Amino acid sequence: MDPIYMDHHATTPVDGRVLDAMMPYLTHEFGNASSRTHPWGWHAEEAVDKARQQVAAALNCRPDEVIFTGGATESNNLAVKGVAAAYRDRGKNHIVTTKIEHSAVLQPCQTLETQGFRVTYLDVDRYGIVDPDEVRAAITDETALISVIWAHNEIGTIQPVAEVGRIAKEAGVLFHTDGVQAFAKYDSDVETLGVDLMALSAHKIYGPKGVGALYVRKRRPRIRLAAQIEGGGQERKLRSGTLNVPGIVGLGEAVELYGECRDEERSRVEALRDRLHEALRDGVEYVHLNGHPTERLYNNLNVSFEFVESESLLMTLRNIALSSGSACTSASLESSSALLATGLDESLAHSAVRF
């Protein structure tokens, strides 16, 4: 049997049209976008500007509010640590987040705790959804940032981001979301969502690895960030370093292509997911759905197979690419902290498989 790839939350293949758009900047259009004295540099800068406009169009923001990074992990670190460092001198030393955030948010928060910041980690319900009222209750006069993941990378649950955004705005608190799994797949209008910062990545939407972006609001309010990488002044001095022009071009092209087929792709993949879930439910005993039954990513199905360890199952299904959780923690044999946070029994958490 030919191998079947069902691990698109970990990464996606590069679309051929994306690769075609990137190729000139990997070959003859090899200029540095910071070189302002010759055509190679001008062409590279023009390509970056176009990609910035493509990403901004999907976010419904200004192009200068898009900061290109090396990926979503860097974007999340820049958002969380950057806000913390920039607003501490205003007496803001408190962050509100959830217990099921990606490690790219949780670990920076834990690092900030060692530096004297307070972090409130909110519980979620059995579906993995945070209660907006608990977000509101956690806010204090010292709160600098609320960070809630838009769509979960393991269980697929979609959070009430727009409602949390309204709460943050009413309280005058900045709101960041890890938008990696939902960006471009869903309407990503930052005004509708009410977010001030959003991390995104190219390789989750058929773009290249090693490139991402951070949306940083510049008005109502203008966000201050402390740079985490210095030495060059690129990207409004928020992210120094030679721009990855081919990768940035690929990100822009992937965003535009997704915009053209988003609704059609959602209907197609959602039907496939539901068909798979129905077949598992009808054909296998003791199968449990993890995450919300409807408020979930259309390309996510996370189930636990009672009495079977997920690692053993994955080793048996060698011709099917699956995972037991986040690719970032796939080397760990511990149960998913996100599943445990939903109240799932540890044995079921240890038998979870993500399609």
Side-chain angles (χ1 to χ4, degrees), residues 82-139:
V83 165
Y87 287 82
R88 190 172 201 174
D89 61 0
R90 299 186 182 184
K92 303 289 187 178
N93 65 351
H94 177 232
I95 295 171
V96 177
T97 189
T98 78
K99 292 181 178 179
I100 66 165
E101 297 300 303
H102 191 280
S103 57
V105 169
L106 288 178
Q107 290 185 20
C109 285
Q110 291 161 3
T111 296
L112 289 172
E113 286 183 293
T114 68
Q115 300 169 5
F117 287 86
R118 290 192 309 108
V119 181
T120 299
Y121 300 94
L122 297 175
D123 290 320
V124 294
D125 65 16
R126 66 192 182 100
Y127 298 120
I129 295 180
V130 68
D131 184 344
D133 288 335
E134 291 191 10
V135 175
R136 180 184 286 109
I139 297 171

Side-chain angles (χ1 to χ4, degrees), residues 129-353:
I129 295 180
V130 68
D131 184 344
D133 288 335
E134 291 191 10
V135 175
R136 180 184 286 109
I139 297 171
T140 74
D141 291 341
E142 297 177 344
T143 305
L145 182 70
I146 298 168
S147 182
V148 176
I149 193 168
W150 183 2
H152 201 267
N153 52 297
E154 291 183 42
I155 58 177
T157 295
I158 297 174
Q159 300 288 353
V161 170
E163 189 172 353
V164 174
R166 285 192 292 272
I167 291 168
K169 187 173 183 179
E170 290 168 4
V173 176
L174 303 184
F175 179 35
H176 160 257
T177 190
D178 176 349
V180 171
Q181 296 292 350
F183 171 71
K185 300 186 183 88
Y186 295 85
D187 182 0
S188 302
D189 186 325
V190 293
E191 297 301 329
T192 301
L193 294 171
V195 300
D196 299 307
L197 303 115
M198 183 195 294
L200 57 97
S201 180
H203 77 106
K204 309 295 187 180
I205 53 172
Y206 298 87
K209 298 173 183 64
V211 63
L214 178 66
Y215 160 69
V216 183
R217 185 180 291 276
K218 286 193 69 175
R219 53 185 176 176
R220 304 190 317 271
R222 182 184 180 92
I223 308 300
R224 293 173 56 205
L225 284 181
Q228 301 301 299
I229 299 177
E230 299 177 293
Q234 292 88 348
E235 296 302 276
R236 290 172 37 201
K237 298 184 179 180
L238 293 177
R239 200 278 182 179
S240 292
T242 302
L243 293 178
N244 174 8
V245 177
I248 289 169
V249 168
L251 170 57
E253 188 70 13
V255 170
E256 187 159 306
L257 289 171
Y258 234 116
E260 294 172 358
C261 69
R262 185 177 70 199
D263 294 339
E264 178 185 343
E265 185 72 353
R266 176 174 180 171
S267 296
R268 183 184 73 85
V269 177
E270 193 170 58
L272 290 170
R273 180 203 65 190
D274 292 345
R275 177 181 168 188
L276 174 60
H277 183 210
E278 183 179 338
L280 290 173
R281 188 184 58 215
D282 294 347
V284 182
E285 291 185 303
Y286 307 111
V287 174
H288 304 263
L289 177 69
N290 299 317
H292 199 282
T294 57
E295 296 301 312
R296 68 186 304 121
L297 289 166
Y298 65 76
N299 62 328
N300 175 283
L301 180 64
N302 189 303
V303 293
S304 290
F305 295 91
E306 198 168 345
F307 312 121
V308 179
E309 288 192 356
S310 58
E311 294 301 321
S312 299
L313 183 59
L314 295 179
M315 292 299 293
T316 302
L317 301 173
R318 290 182 176 274
N319 283 329
I320 304 178
L322 300 169
S323 69
S324 56
S326 170
C328 300
T329 57
S330 63
S332 172
L333 294 178
E334 295 180 3
S335 298
S336 162
S337 59
L339 286 171
L340 294 175
T342 67
L344 195 67
D345 178 86
E346 180 150 3
S347 63
L348 286 177
H350 205 60
S351 67
V353 174

